[in-house]
């Protein structure tokens, strides 16, 4: 499913009409997309209004300029009721997370959240740097896990085409690859380049603990270093 299609799924997800597989894919997309986070919070209010129609007498009055056909309204109300029963609590948590994403800014969009069984999952360390030579800027969010460290990366002003990797370098010199990705010809986080203004946001992990990491390096696969982020 394309990114554009996932953007268009916000309304269907808010109403609870996506099938389980599409809902799961949309939730993965939501963790990294501030635009969809904003739209989801807006659609949540629409869902509440539709739910009021499904339960008349609740004290909410809404006037529609042109009422939809009875069949369409019934189908929407049925979808809302079914969606609320299936995923009401989960959607409320996601809307709350979306609000936090909107308020906290780009680094929050790295998607590092505590999961069941993680150790000290709530502590997030953040580091940032810009390389004076390449102009590439990067932000890293580092979160302690029971198995090592969860790592989120936001990267901007990097031109493609390139294939890159994020390397965690330990204080003892050990190197571990956190994640790899491809940069398209237009690049990521390129101001004024239509369709390529958004930075890259990706996630990965390292077996190194946060207190064992000296720095992170963004490199091309042929070994050229684009930016170093001290930890």
């Amino acid at each position: 499913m394309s990114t554009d299609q996932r953007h268009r799924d916000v309304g269907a997800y808010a109403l609870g009409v996506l099938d389980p597989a599409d809902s799961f894919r949309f939730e993965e997309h939501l963790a990294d997309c501030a635009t969809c986070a904003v739209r989801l919070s807006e659609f949540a209010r629409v869902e509440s209004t539709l739910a009021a129609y499904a339960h008349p007498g609740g004290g909410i009055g809404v006037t529609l300029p042109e009422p939809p056909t009875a069949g369409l309204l019934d189908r929407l109300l049925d979808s809302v009721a079914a969606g609320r029963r299936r995923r009401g609590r989960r959607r409320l948590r996601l809307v709350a997370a979306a609000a936090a994403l909107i308020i906290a800014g780009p680094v929050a969009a790295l998607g590092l959240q505590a999961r069941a069984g993680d150790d000290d999952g709530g502590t997030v360390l953040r580091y940032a740097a810009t390389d004076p030579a390449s102009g590439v800027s990067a932000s890293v969010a580092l979160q302690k896990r029971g198995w090592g460290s969860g790592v989120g990366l936001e990267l901007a002003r990097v031109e493609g085409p390139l294939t890159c990797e994020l390397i965690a370098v330990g204080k003892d010199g050990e190197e571990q690859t956190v994640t790899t990705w491809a940069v398209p010809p237009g690049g990521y986080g390129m101001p004024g380049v239509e369709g390529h203004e958004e930075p890259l946001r990706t996630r990965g992990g390292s077996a190194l603990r946060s207190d064992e990491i000296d720095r992170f390096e963004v490199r091309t696969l042929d070994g050229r270093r684009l930016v170093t982020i001290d930890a």
Side-chain angles (χ1 to χ4, degrees), residues 47-62 73 76-85:
E47 181 193 7
S48 298
T49 301
L50 288 173
Y53 275 103
H55 302 284
I60 299 176
V62 180
L73 184 56
L76 284 173
L77 294 177
D78 288 344
S79 296
V80 170
R84 287 169 73 88
R85 287 194 298 270

Side-chain angles (χ1 to χ4, degrees), residues 53-219:
Y53 275 103
H55 302 284
I60 299 176
V62 180
T63 301
L64 294 176
E66 296 182 7
T69 63
L72 175 59
L73 184 56
D74 288 342
R75 288 194 297 273
L76 284 173
L77 294 177
D78 288 344
S79 296
V80 170
R84 287 169 73 88
R85 287 194 298 270
R86 290 196 307 269
R87 294 190 294 275
R89 291 182 180 177
R90 182 179 62 182
R91 191 178 303 112
L92 286 175
R93 289 196 296 269
L94 282 168
V95 170
L101 175 70
I102 296 164
I103 295 169
V107 175
L110 299 178
L112 291 176
Q113 299 175 353
R115 296 184 178 89
D118 289 335
D119 296 333
D120 194 25
T123 302
V124 179
L125 305 174
R126 297 179 175 87
Y127 310 98
T130 299
D131 187 273
S134 68
V136 175
S137 63
S139 299
V140 169
L142 183 64
Q143 189 170 44
K144 181 180 178 182
R145 303 293 198 195
W147 42 261
S149 300
V151 182
L153 171 69
E154 180 175 292
L155 188 70
R157 296 183 179 275
V158 56
E159 298 184 64
L162 293 172
T163 303
C164 302
E165 58 185 349
L166 178 65
I167 304 295
V169 182
K171 294 178 179 178
D172 61 357
E174 178 184 359
E175 296 187 356
Q176 293 185 3
T177 300
V178 175
T179 185
T180 62
W181 64 92
V183 180
Y188 284 110
M190 301 298 293
V193 181
E194 185 176 358
H196 298 274
E197 297 92 347
E198 286 295 314
L200 168 78
R201 297 185 180 96
T202 186
R203 289 174 286 175
S206 170
L208 294 171
R209 299 190 311 271
S210 58
D211 60 351
E212 296 175 324
I213 297 173
D214 178 69
R215 65 188 183 277
F216 292 93
E217 295 183 1
V218 176
R219 304 175 186 167

